[in-house]
Amino acid sequence: MNIGIIGYGVVGGATGKVFSRCHDIFPYDKFKYPYNDNLNLSNIVKRCNTIFICVPNPMRLSGEMDYHA
């Protein structure tokens, strides 16, 4: 199975490491080279059966999570 991961930080990286044992992984992270190529993003859309979105939640100035988005 082809699995796309958008956001390849702590959570996305761990998810990718586990799934890469049995599946083909297509990572994308706009802040990390070499995963920030738009070709990676288009490959995720075209080739992947499942896509995991592993991005941080917005935070308030106090540090608590903002769930209103």
Side-chain angles (χ1 to χ4, degrees):
M1 179 188 298
N2 294 338
I3 297 177
I5 300 175
I6 298 176
Y8 211 57
V10 174
V11 174
T15 302
K17 186 174 182 177
V18 170
F19 282 125
S20 69
R21 296 177 184 167
C22 301
H23 304 286
D24 293 324
I25 302 300
F26 293 84
Y28 174 80
D29 192 315
K30 71 177 186 177
F31 297 112
K32 291 188 177 183
Y33 178 82
Y35 308 116
N36 62 353
D37 188 2
N38 282 337
L39 181 60
N40 289 2
L41 191 56
S42 68
N43 280 336
I44 288 174
V45 173
K46 291 177 185 175
R47 297 182 180 178
C48 293
N49 309 95
T50 302
I51 300 172
F52 289 91
I53 301 175
C54 304
V55 296
N57 289 359
M59 296 181 77
R60 296 183 178 159
L61 292 175
S62 65
E64 67 181 323
M65 293 296 182
D66 182 1
Y67 296 108
H68 292 91

